[in-house]
Amino acid sequence: MLPKKKQLISDAAFAEIKILKDQLEAERAYLQDEIKLEYNHEDIIGKSEAIKNVFYKVEQIAATDTNVLVLGETGTGKELVARAIHSLSLRKDRALVKMNCAALPANLIESELFGHEKGAFTGAHSRRLGRFEVANGATLFLDEIGELPLELQAKLLHVIQNGEFERLGSSTTIKVDVRIIAATNRNLEEEVSKGHFRDDLWYRLNIFPITVPPLRDRDDDIPLLVNYYVQKIAKRLGKTIEFIPLNVMHALQHYHWPGNIRELENVLERGVINSSGPKLRLIDELKKPFRSLTSSQQTLEAVEREYILQVLAQTHWKVGGKNSAAEILGLDRSTLRARMRKLTIQKP
């Protein structure tokens, strides 16, 4: 073999190794960031017919490479469903890569998704691989997909259709094999009719939708969830809760849970903190149920807006920090602020 040909083969092999090394380093960095965050890695808990239907759909779709759209109200456990799909898929040996589309401004979301070259914009001091490159051969979970700016929806659609994109500041096309699981608490069909979401992207994502039921439709699951979270929280706080009074369980089962499982977990944590002995004592008043949806026929967006306003009023408009609206709602402060902007919620 000629020396020049040997050199070309050697250079090509070196370039391929460099690409794999960059991807491995990016995945390691991503996982280190994930470890800093708190996730519930446990299985979805429940035995109700509503949640059994979710289990059935997860098992149906997991082994395929079909994109999945997970729907449901805030706090119902959409990320757990995404993780369950990934853990049963053929891609389970790689990390589930996550991106919250509501947590960052549009210019940063684009960089996070597609990566950038050094000097692509002010502050881009080095090349960075985006989530699509990190998730190559794996699964990318796009949370709050309904909040993705319109200008980025076209770029996402291109990747879904063609499996390729360019980093910011680069003209080189990168090919990827990524399965997408998207989640939203919004009615995307309604968003399409309003011109807030691209219809072609919606058709691409809505191949196999899974709707996670709200907690108010899972009465049979509440005792299981309460026992699980009470023991988990008590262990973390170094307490022992041995029994839950019937009147407490009755109150928990008959509350409407507008904030769903996140709200339940927050109520139980305050209860465990408030309990000095082995018996769970709730600190929250759960006697007054949330207003029935059937009587007012409100849209999901209107219900969400009303509930966020209610919590903000309760916390004297404290958005972030301890005992804040974000803490009660189980959201990141940036996510709550994004929802407030979307729902035109402003402090009076």
Side-chain angles (χ1 to χ4, degrees):
M1 190 180 291
L2 296 173
K4 189 173 181 180
K5 192 172 182 181
K6 278 186 177 180
Q7 183 63 41
L8 287 171
I9 292 171
S10 175
D11 289 347
F14 180 77
E16 187 176 351
I17 290 167
K18 179 73 167 58
I19 290 168
L20 291 171
K21 180 173 177 286
D22 286 348
Q23 185 179 351
L24 185 63
E25 286 178 355
E27 184 170 342
R28 188 187 307 145
Y30 170 78
L31 287 172
Q32 285 172 345
D33 288 341
E34 285 282 281
I35 289 165
K36 295 173 188 173
L37 303 173
E38 185 180 350
Y39 286 111
N40 183 352
H41 291 283
E42 303 296 332
D43 293 334
I44 303 163
I45 296 162
K47 62 177 183 179
S48 64
E49 289 304 315
I51 206 67
K52 280 181 183 176
N53 185 49
V54 173
F55 294 154
Y56 174 70
K57 288 193 169 185
V58 166
E59 289 170 2
Q60 267 189 311
I61 200 65
T64 73
D65 272 340
T66 301
N67 296 330
V68 181
L69 181 61
V70 185
L71 306 166
E73 296 175 13
T74 297
T76 49
K78 296 185 290 295
E79 183 175 340
L80 288 180
V81 172
R83 289 182 181 277
I85 293 168
H86 177 69
S87 67
L88 292 172
S89 75
L90 299 175
R91 300 168 183 255
K92 63 185 177 183
D93 293 332
R94 293 281 308 283
L96 173 70
V97 179
K98 179 188 171 184
M99 174 76 200
N100 187 327
C101 300
L104 295 169
N107 60 325
L108 290 182
I109 292 175
E110 187 174 9
S111 172
E112 284 292 321
L113 280 175
F114 307 112
H116 62 255
E117 297 292 344
K118 182 179 179 180
F121 52 85
T122 304
H125 301 302
S126 61
R127 188 179 72 169
R128 175 171 177 160
L129 272 61
R131 300 295 165 97
F132 269 104
E133 276 183 90
V134 175
N136 190 21
T139 306
L140 176 60
F141 176 49
L142 296 176
D143 200 5
E144 306 279 10
I145 189 70
E147 313 304 320
L148 191 68
L150 267 173
E151 60 268 25
L152 293 183
Q153 290 177 24
K155 207 164 181 181
L156 174 60
L157 177 65
H158 179 77
V159 184
I160 293 173
Q161 288 178 327
N162 304 303
E164 61 183 35
F165 65 94
E166 294 84 36
R167 293 193 200 109
L168 289 177
S170 172
S171 58
T172 303
T173 299
I174 299 167
K175 291 273 188 182
V176 287
D177 169 27
V178 176
R179 182 190 195 174
I180 292 176
I181 302 175
T184 183
N185 61 0
R186 304 185 73 75
N187 183 333
L188 290 187
E189 191 169 7
E190 192 176 290
E191 294 297 300
V192 168
S193 67
K194 290 178 181 177
H196 297 161
F197 202 84
R198 292 179 64 106
D199 55 354
D200 44 8
L201 178 57
W202 179 62
Y203 296 138
R204 283 283 179 174
L205 292 173
N206 197 41
I207 299 169
F208 195 91
I210 298 176
T211 301
V212 186
L215 190 53
R216 61 181 172 275
D217 293 344
R218 298 175 56 189
D219 288 351
D220 294 346
D221 295 336
I222 288 178
L224 294 173
L225 289 162
V226 169
N227 285 319
Y228 168 75
Y229 282 117
V230 165
Q231 294 310 312
K232 177 186 172 185
I233 294 163
K235 183 178 179 182
R236 175 162 54 83
L237 297 177
K239 291 195 169 192
T240 302
I241 303 294
E242 295 177 352
F243 62 95
I244 299 163
L246 284 175
N247 65 323
V248 170
M249 188 63 80
H250 183 271
L252 292 167
Q253 284 187 284
H254 287 82
Y255 182 59
H256 196 70
W257 297 113
N260 293 294
I261 293 173
R262 281 187 189 143
E263 185 184 7
L264 172 66
E265 189 173 2
N266 290 337
V267 165
L268 293 175
E269 179 155 358
R270 288 191 288 271
V272 171
I273 292 169
N274 187 54
S275 304
S276 55
K279 182 167 66 173
L280 181 68
R281 296 180 184 277
L282 294 184
I283 196 171
D284 292 77
E285 284 286 338
L286 302 177
K287 292 178 183 177
K288 186 178 179 182
F290 193 71
R291 189 176 300 139
S292 172
L293 298 184
T294 55
S295 62
S296 61
Q297 295 295 310
Q298 290 177 292
T299 64
L300 177 60
E301 184 173 290
V303 172
E304 183 185 8
R305 188 177 192 280
E306 185 175 326
Y307 181 57
I308 290 174
L309 281 167
Q310 179 186 326
V311 174
L312 284 166
Q314 178 187 326
T315 58
H316 305 290
W317 287 82
K318 184 180 180 183
V319 176
K322 191 170 177 60
N323 299 320
S324 66
E327 184 181 60
I328 292 171
L329 293 166
L331 299 173
D332 292 333
R333 181 175 59 181
S334 56
T335 302
L336 176 55
R337 288 194 183 279
R339 300 298 305 134
M340 288 169 66
R341 285 194 299 273
K342 190 81 174 180
L343 299 169
T344 63
I345 294 173
Q346 294 181 335
K347 187 175 180 179

